[in-house]
Each structure stands twice: as structure tokens, then as C-alpha cells.
């Protein structure tokens, strides 16, 4: 079972890979930005606090400390002695109770700490820095800075990042989708052109983009490969056609000689055996010529007409009258005619399938024709040994014979089913093999009816 990842288009996979990488990079960048700005703001606050503490400490050291410490901004300052008594404070700071308790003071001397703003009657959290002054009866300068504005700016930055993150990702994803689509459009054009070429059998070539990039080089390389494949195919077709044509003359001469020998009563059973092999070789040559024509030209150049399927079946049934399995034909009333098919081609399809079924049937061969939703279905059933499901496609390959009861029977060349499928597909139809209700093999010919057949521009 194929993984879901492999079922996605290249454009989708490239977009997902790009978006995942972009999302990861954007997430790392956002976290780094938020952290860097937060740390920078805290360091700025701490630097201002240390500067204020240094200025107040200078006043304490010089004996010029006033009762009210002058400060700027929202800072609050206390100067406490070694016994924890407040000896001086700034406006708005508590003059009786220190901001920090004793156990907090030791930590604040090492690095700034945060305490609730309720200690000084404010709603904002406080970031507090402590600095020792003097050596004997030492004093401590405590500087507290409300950080409500800092917290709000950090929250605003966080919300902005969380909102802009998906919006930017979606915008970049849309841009990437358009850019990837534009980059892959020449590849899709190459794929579509290759599909048309492989489906038509024509010697068209892939479009070469004007840009001098990897896609241009790919198109040039593929066209060169198509040129080599086309030349090889033409050589193969010419070889098959030439060999088949060359074989016709000696085969005709051999048949003439066997006819003369039979009329003169010479050769006995040897003449009959040689004549049978000549007939078989003649049939093989005719099959090769037909396949060569279909490979080279397809249906082009053949007369186009609507053919009555019921009449063609009646003619095939008449040609197979004789000893052997029972042969019955069942047609629905007035089956739709098949368009764009020469009568001899349709009869060739039916005759090959009926002949194949009669050679392997035990007691009965039944042919059924009916119209179904703009299609004409012809079913050929036999009650023979059938074909295993794994081999039902392989038998359509040229010169393929199975190793069971449907192997080297009299008259089989390994080209009959290949010709049937080539003829059917050249007219917009197909041939499939399945299991017959009678226990043997069912060959189903599916052809477009006349009114459903597309008109060939050629």
C-alpha cells in the first residue's frame, strides 16, 4: 500500500517542506526576539537602578545623604543601616519598613530580585537592586523600579508575535504556492505533452521552454531520447514489414508447388503437411503485416463507416459452421452500430476471438452482443480450461503462449489476441479477459457506438 505522503503532488510536498522549515525558523526567530528584547529591557532597568544606587552610595560615603533622597522617574530608594533601619528614603518610599526582608536582601546584593508592589503601595511588581556602602557601620542602598510598563510591553510583543505568526506563515505559504506552481508549470507542460505523445503514437516532440535552465536542458534531452526511440521504432517496423513482404513470395511459390504436386498425385501426405505449414506461415506473415501497419499508421488512411455488429456476428457464425463445440449467437434487438471501423477489421476481431474460444471450448461457445450507454459490448464465452487471472494481461503480448491447455494449439501464432487488442484500441475500444459463467474464459470487446465515437480531425 502506498504511503499517503507519496500520493501528494510534488507541488504540495515542496510547499509543506518549505512551510515546515519556515514555521520552524519563524518560531525560533520569534522566541529569540522575545527573549532578546526582554533581557535587553531588564538590563536597561537594572543599569538605571545601579546608576541610581551608585549616586546615592556616593552621597552616603561623603556624609551628604539628605533625609529625602532625590530621584527621577518612578524609582524608589531606601537607605538602611546594618540593623535594618531606614535612615533615608525617596518620596513615595516607606520610611519605616525596608522594602526587602533580611533573607531577600542577601539575594538582592547578588542580583536583582522581584517583589510585590504592595509593599510600597503600588500595583506594579517591583524589580529591586541592593548595593552595600562603606565598611564599618555599613549602609545598604535599595533601589526599586516598577516594571508594569516593561511587563505590558513584553505582553504586547508576545501577542503581536502570536497573531502575526500564522498570518505571516499563511501569506508566505500563498506566495510559495504561486512561486512553486510557476516553477513547476514547465514540468507539467512536459508531462502533459509526453502523455499526449505516448497516447497518440505520433512523432511529436516535447515543448522546449525559452528559459536556459534545467527544465530547458531536460526537454532537450527528452526530445533527443524520443528521436532515438522513434528511429529505433521505425527501423523495427520497416524490418518487420520488409521481412513479411519478402516472405510472401516464397510462401506463394511453395503453395503453388504443393497445389501442383497434389493435382499430379505426388508427395502423398507430405504435401498435405507442407501445405498446412505454408498456410500457417502465410497467416503469420499476414498478422505481422497488419501489426506493422497498425504500429506505423494506426487507423489513419482507412475507410471510415458504421458497421452493424449483428450482421458481422452473423457472418462470423456462418464461417464457423461445422464440427466442434456448439456455437450460439445472442444479440439484443437492434444493437447500435460501431463507427469508424472497417468491416474486415471488426470481423477480424470477432473471428479471432471466436476461433480462439472454439479451439479451447469443451462443448459450447456463446457470443452475446448488446448496447449499453453509448457502448457496444460483445461477450465471447467458452467452457474450456480458462486462463489464470495473473496471465490474462500477459496473453495480449505478442508471441506469448501459455504453458497450459491454451499453449501451442494448432494454428496458434501468439499474435491473435495482440491483433485483437490493437484493432480495438485503434478505434477507441478495448478487449478484456475474465472468467466466464460457464466456467471457462470470457473475452469482452468494448467499442464505442457510432453516435459516441469522436470525429478524427485527420
Amino acid at each position: 500500500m502506498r504511503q499517503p505522503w507519496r500520493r501528494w503532488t510534488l507541488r504540495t510536498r515542496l510547499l509543506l517542506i518549505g512551510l515546515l522549515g519556515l514555521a520552524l525558523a519563524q518560531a525560533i526567530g520569534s522566541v529569540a526576539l522575545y527573549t532578546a528584547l526582554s533581557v535587553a529591557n531588564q538590563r536597561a532597568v537594572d543599569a538605571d537602578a545601579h546608576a541610581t544606587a551608585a549616586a546615592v552610595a556616593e552621597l552616603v560615603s561623603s556624609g551628604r545623604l539628605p533625609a529625602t533622597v532625590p530621584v527621577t522617574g518612578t524609582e524608589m530608594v531606601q537607605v538602611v543601616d546594618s540593623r535594618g533601619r531606614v535612615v533615608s528614603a525617596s518620596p513615595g518610599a516607606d520610611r519605616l519598613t525596608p522594602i526587602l526582608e533580611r533573607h531577600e536582601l542577601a539575594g538582592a546584593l547578588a542580583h536583582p530580585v522581584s517583589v510585590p508592589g504592595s509593599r510600597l503601595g503600588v500595583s506594579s511588581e517591583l524589580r529591586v537592586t541592593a548595593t552595600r556602602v562603606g565598611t564599618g557601620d555599613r549602609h545598604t542602598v535599595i533601589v526599586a523600579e516598577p516594571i508594569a510598563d516593561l511587563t505590558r510591553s513584553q505582553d504586547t510583543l508576545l501577542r503581536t508575535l502570536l497573531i502575526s505568526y500564522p498570518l505571516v506563515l499563511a501569506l508566505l505559504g500563498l506566495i510559495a504556492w504561486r512561486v512553486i506552481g510557476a516553477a513547476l508549470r514547465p514540468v507539467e507542460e512536459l508531462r502533459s505533452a509526453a502523455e499526449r505523445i505516448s497516447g497518440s503514437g505520433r512523432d511529436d516532440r516535447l515543448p522546449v521552454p525559452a528559459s536556459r535552465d534545467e527544465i530547458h536542458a531536460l526537454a532537450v534531452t527528452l526530445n533527443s531520447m524520443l528521436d532515438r526511440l522513434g528511429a529505433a521504432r521505425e527501423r523495427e517496423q520497416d524490418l518487420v514489414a520488409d521481412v513479411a513482404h519478402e516472405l510472401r513470395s516464397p510462401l506463394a511459390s511453395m503453395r503453388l508447388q504443393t497445389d501442383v504436386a497434389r493435382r499430379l498425385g505426388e508427395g502423398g501426405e507430405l504435401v498435405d503437411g507442407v501445405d498446412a505449414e505454408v498456410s500457417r506461415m502465410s497467416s503469420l506473415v499476414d498478422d505481422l503485416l497488419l501489426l506493422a501497419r497498425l504500429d506505423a499508421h494506426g487507423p489513419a488512411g482507412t475507410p471510415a463507416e458504421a458497421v452493424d455488429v449483428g450482421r458481422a456476428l452473423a457472418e462470423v457464425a456462418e464461417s464457423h459452421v461445422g464440427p466442434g463445440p456448439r456455437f450460439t449467437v445472442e444479440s439484443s434487438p437492434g444493437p447500435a452500430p460501431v463507427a469508424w471501423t472497417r468491416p474486415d477489421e471488426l470481423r477480424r476481431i470477432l473471428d479471432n476471438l471466436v476461433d480462439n474460444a472454439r479451439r479451447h471450448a469443451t462443448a459450447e461457445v456463446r457470443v452475446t452482443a448488446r448496447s449499453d450507454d453509448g457502448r457496444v459490448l460483445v461477450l465471447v464465452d467458452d467452457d474450456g480450461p480458462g486462463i489464470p487471472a495473473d496471465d490474462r494481461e500477459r496473453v495480449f503480448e505478442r508471441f506469448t503462449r501459455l504453458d497450459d491447455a491454451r499453449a501451442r494449439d494448432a494454428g496458434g501464432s501468439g499474435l491473435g489476441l495482440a491483433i485483437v487488442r490493437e484493432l480495438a484500441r485503434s478505434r477507441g475500444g478495448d478487449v478484456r479477459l475474465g472468467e466466464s459463467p460457464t466456467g471457462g474464459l470470457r473475452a469482452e470487446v468494448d467499442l464505442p457506438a457510432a453516435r459516441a465515437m469522436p470525429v478524427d480531425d485527420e
Side-chain angles (χ1 to χ4, degrees):
M1 180 178 179
R2 296 181 62 188
Q3 298 296 326
W5 171 258
R6 296 186 180 275
R7 290 197 295 266
W8 293 344
T9 63
L10 177 62
R11 184 180 186 181
T12 304
R13 281 183 281 177
L14 289 176
L15 178 64
L16 289 178
I17 293 173
L19 286 181
L20 288 176
L22 182 62
L24 181 61
Q26 189 174 354
I28 294 175
S30 299
V31 172
L33 175 64
Y34 179 80
T35 303
L37 290 177
S38 299
V39 171
N41 289 334
Q42 288 181 357
R43 287 182 176 178
V45 171
D46 295 340
D48 291 341
H50 282 301
T52 301
V56 174
E58 178 66 23
L59 293 176
V60 173
S61 300
S62 61
R64 293 182 292 109
L65 178 67
T68 301
V69 179
V71 295
T72 58
T74 59
E75 292 178 334
M76 287 171 279
V77 178
Q78 287 182 335
V79 179
V80 297
D81 59 16
S82 58
R83 289 180 291 181
R85 295 176 301 178
V86 178
V87 297
S88 179
S90 64
D94 194 333
R95 292 179 173 273
L96 298 177
T97 304
I99 300 173
L100 298 177
E101 299 178 358
R102 286 189 176 272
H103 69 278
E104 295 174 334
L105 183 60
L109 289 171
H111 53 79
V113 298
S114 297
V115 299
S118 58
R119 295 183 183 183
L120 295 180
V122 296
S123 59
S124 171
E125 187 178 13
L126 301 174
R127 188 169 179 83
V128 183
T129 301
T131 303
R132 292 286 191 189
V133 182
T135 56
D137 187 15
R138 291 181 300 176
H139 290 73
T140 303
V141 179
I142 301 174
V143 181
E145 178 73 30
I147 56 174
D149 293 340
L150 176 62
T151 302
R152 279 194 298 270
S153 65
Q154 291 177 343
D155 292 343
T156 301
L157 175 62
L158 181 61
R159 285 193 298 270
T160 302
L161 291 176
L162 292 177
I163 294 174
S164 63
Y165 180 86
L167 294 179
V168 171
L169 195 63
L171 178 61
L172 293 178
L174 179 60
I175 296 174
W177 178 263
R178 299 296 297 271
V179 171
I180 294 174
L184 293 179
R185 189 173 298 114
V187 178
E188 174 61 22
E189 292 175 355
L190 290 179
R191 186 203 64 80
S192 301
E195 184 176 11
R196 289 194 301 270
I197 293 173
S198 62
S200 65
R202 297 194 297 264
D203 291 330
D204 296 342
R205 292 296 177 262
L206 301 175
V208 179
S211 59
R212 297 291 178 174
D213 53 10
E214 290 80 1
I215 305 300
H216 176 91
L218 175 62
V220 172
T221 303
L222 291 178
N223 281 335
S224 177
M225 181 188 68
L226 289 175
D227 290 336
R228 294 192 298 270
L229 291 176
R233 184 175 64 252
E234 290 178 0
R235 288 195 299 269
E236 178 186 357
Q237 293 168 356
D238 292 342
L239 176 63
V240 172
D242 292 343
V243 170
H245 277 294
E246 291 299 325
L247 286 175
R248 275 189 162 184
S249 296
L251 287 175
S253 177
M254 292 171 65
R255 173 163 289 181
L256 177 61
Q257 294 179 42
T258 55
D259 289 342
V260 172
R262 184 181 294 109
R263 289 180 180 274
L264 297 177
E266 299 176 355
E269 295 181 358
L270 177 61
V271 172
D272 295 334
V274 172
D275 188 60
E277 291 302 319
V278 170
S279 297
R280 182 171 180 174
M281 291 182 65
S282 297
S283 177
L284 175 59
V285 168
D286 290 339
D287 291 344
L288 288 174
L289 283 173
L290 176 58
L291 286 173
R293 178 178 63 82
L294 290 174
D295 289 341
H297 306 292
T302 60
E305 58 181 274
V307 179
D308 188 287
V309 177
R311 180 177 299 178
L313 281 175
E315 294 175 357
V316 172
E318 184 178 353
S319 66
H320 283 84
V321 173
R326 186 172 64 256
F327 182 58
T328 59
V329 177
E330 300 175 4
S331 296
S332 60
V338 178
W340 299 100
T341 303
R342 295 191 311 181
D344 61 329
E345 289 185 348
L346 179 58
R347 284 195 294 270
R348 182 69 176 269
I349 292 175
L350 300 176
D351 188 70
N352 278 11
L353 293 177
V354 170
D355 183 64
N356 185 68
R358 284 176 62 85
R359 287 202 306 270
H360 303 98
T362 301
E364 180 184 11
V365 174
R366 184 170 66 248
V367 180
T368 306
R370 66 172 182 266
S371 299
D372 184 14
D373 193 22
R375 311 289 294 184
V376 176
L377 300 179
V378 179
L379 308 178
V380 181
D381 295 287
D382 66 64
D383 57 354
I387 295 178
D390 295 339
D391 292 328
R392 289 173 187 164
E393 280 299 314
R394 189 165 65 88
V395 295
F396 287 105
E397 299 175 3
R398 299 176 185 184
F399 297 106
T400 297
R401 296 187 181 92
L402 302 181
D403 295 329
D404 55 10
R406 288 184 177 266
R408 292 182 175 274
D409 51 274
S413 65
L415 294 176
L417 290 176
I419 291 175
V420 166
R421 173 165 280 185
E422 291 288 344
L423 286 174
R425 288 184 172 178
S426 71
R427 304 303 178 176
D430 202 357
V431 179
R432 296 176 291 272
L433 299 181
E435 186 174 350
S436 172
T438 60
L441 183 71
R442 162 172 285 184
E444 179 180 336
V445 183
D446 181 6
L447 296 171
R451 62 178 177 274
M453 192 71 181
V455 177
D456 193 346
D457 293 337
E458 297 179 359

